[in-house]
């Protein structure tokens, strides 16, 4: 387990990511998730569209300048899936085209997380920028599981109880994003309940990941940051 935790070492720049890129990405992602997405669920889509147009090139740039071959491959896969989903949805809208879009989101999130994770957990002094990167990884867990829940609900429209039917895509994403965050943080307000066995399994997995991440990785980073300041 120790080998996966950041190890103290001499101060150094980590990877090819700049401190400002991590900070900017965290701010933009937080605005999209906690401001633009709820507004889109209410029918106000402009902030979400604008935020996506800003964040998407930033993610691509971060991955391109990285040295992670796997991340570059995943971004390429995400681009192909997204393009195929759009192309097929125009002429032949179906469950497959919807799934292609969700898979593209998951691939892009995983690619970005690989690059940021490599920077966050690299040897060197633990700065507050690394902690910001770790927070991005935590948010990315919720984003990835949002797409997973949307895929499950596309397969089984009654997979989640107390979810309004016939929602627009933005409203459905906003609803599942809310459920994903309440599951990740173990808040569990109970307005939305997973009924489908697969949905329940994914909710359990996300809850476990969320608690372990905070208790082990993020807590360790904060402790090392405090120790380095001393």
């Amino acid at each position: 387990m120790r080998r996966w935790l950041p190890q103290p070492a001499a101060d150094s720049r980590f990877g090819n990511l700049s401190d400002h890129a991590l900070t900017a990405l965290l701010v933009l992602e937080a605005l999209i998730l906690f401001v633009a997405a709820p507004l889109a669920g209410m029918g106000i889509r402009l902030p979400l569209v604008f935020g996506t147009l800003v964040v998407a090139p930033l993610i691509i740039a971060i991955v391109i300048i990285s040295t992670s071959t796997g991340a570059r491959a995943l971004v390429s896969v995400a681009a192909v899936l997204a393009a195929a989903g759009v192309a097929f949805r125009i002429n032949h809208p179906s469950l497959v085209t919807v799934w292609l879009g969700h898979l593209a989101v998951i691939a892009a999130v995983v690619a970005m997380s690989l690059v940021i994770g490599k920077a966050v957990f690299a040897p060197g002094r633990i700065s507050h920028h690394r902690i910001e990167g770790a927070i991005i990884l935590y948010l990315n867990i919720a984003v990835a599981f949002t797409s997973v829940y949307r895929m499950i609900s596309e397969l089984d429209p009654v997979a989640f109880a107390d979810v309004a039917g016939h929602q627009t895509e933005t409203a459905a994403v906003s609803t599942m994003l809310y459920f994903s965050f309440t599951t990740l943080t173990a808040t569990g307000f109970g307005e939305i309940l997973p009924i489908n066995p697969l949905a329940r399994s994914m909710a359990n997995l996300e809850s476990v990941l969320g608690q372990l991440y905070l208790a082990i990785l993020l807590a360790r980073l904060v402790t090392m940051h405090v120790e380095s300041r001393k």
Side-chain angles (χ1 to χ4, degrees):
M1 182 63 185
R2 181 176 176 83
R3 67 186 293 269
W4 292 102
L5 295 177
Q7 302 297 318
D11 186 17
S12 63
R13 298 292 297 178
F14 42 95
N16 291 313
L17 292 179
S18 69
D19 295 342
H20 299 294
L22 290 175
T23 302
L25 188 57
L26 175 59
V27 172
L28 289 172
E29 186 169 358
L31 289 174
I32 289 177
L33 294 178
F34 303 123
V35 179
L39 289 177
M42 298 167 58
I44 306 174
R45 301 183 180 182
L46 184 59
L48 182 61
V49 173
F50 178 76
T52 303
L53 291 176
V54 173
V55 170
L58 180 59
I59 293 175
I60 295 173
I62 287 175
V63 174
I64 288 176
I65 65 175
S66 74
T67 57
S68 175
T69 304
R72 292 176 180 175
L74 280 174
V75 164
S76 300
V77 170
V80 171
L81 290 175
V86 172
F88 285 120
R89 184 177 297 185
I90 294 175
N91 298 317
H92 306 285
S94 66
L95 178 63
V96 174
T97 61
V98 173
W99 266 53
L100 287 175
H102 293 312
L103 288 173
V105 172
I106 295 173
V109 170
V110 171
M112 180 178 67
S113 298
L114 286 175
V115 175
I116 295 176
K118 185 176 180 180
V120 169
F121 300 112
R125 182 176 64 86
I126 305 300
S127 66
H128 69 90
H129 295 289
R130 289 206 191 192
I131 296 177
E132 290 170 354
I135 296 174
I136 295 175
L137 295 178
Y138 186 68
L139 298 178
N140 284 352
I141 296 175
V143 174
F145 272 93
T146 297
S147 291
V148 171
Y149 296 139
R150 286 291 296 121
M151 293 170 68
I152 295 174
S153 63
E154 292 289 346
L155 282 176
D156 183 4
V158 295
F160 297 88
D162 299 325
V163 175
H166 305 293
Q167 290 182 314
T168 64
E169 178 64 20
T170 52
V173 170
S174 179
T175 299
M176 286 297 100
L177 183 64
Y178 167 77
F179 173 74
S180 183
F181 270 107
T182 58
T183 303
L184 180 68
T185 58
T187 306
F189 293 116
E191 302 98 322
I192 303 173
L193 298 175
I195 303 298
N196 182 283
L198 181 58
R200 288 179 172 179
S201 178
M202 290 297 99
N204 287 335
L205 177 60
E206 183 180 18
S207 181
V208 170
L209 288 176
Q211 298 311 300
L212 290 179
Y213 187 93
L214 292 178
I216 299 176
L217 295 179
L218 191 56
R220 173 64 171 165
L221 282 172
V222 173
T223 300
M224 293 178 67
H225 173 61
V226 173
E227 291 176 350
S228 68
R229 290 175 63 88
K230 293 180 181 180

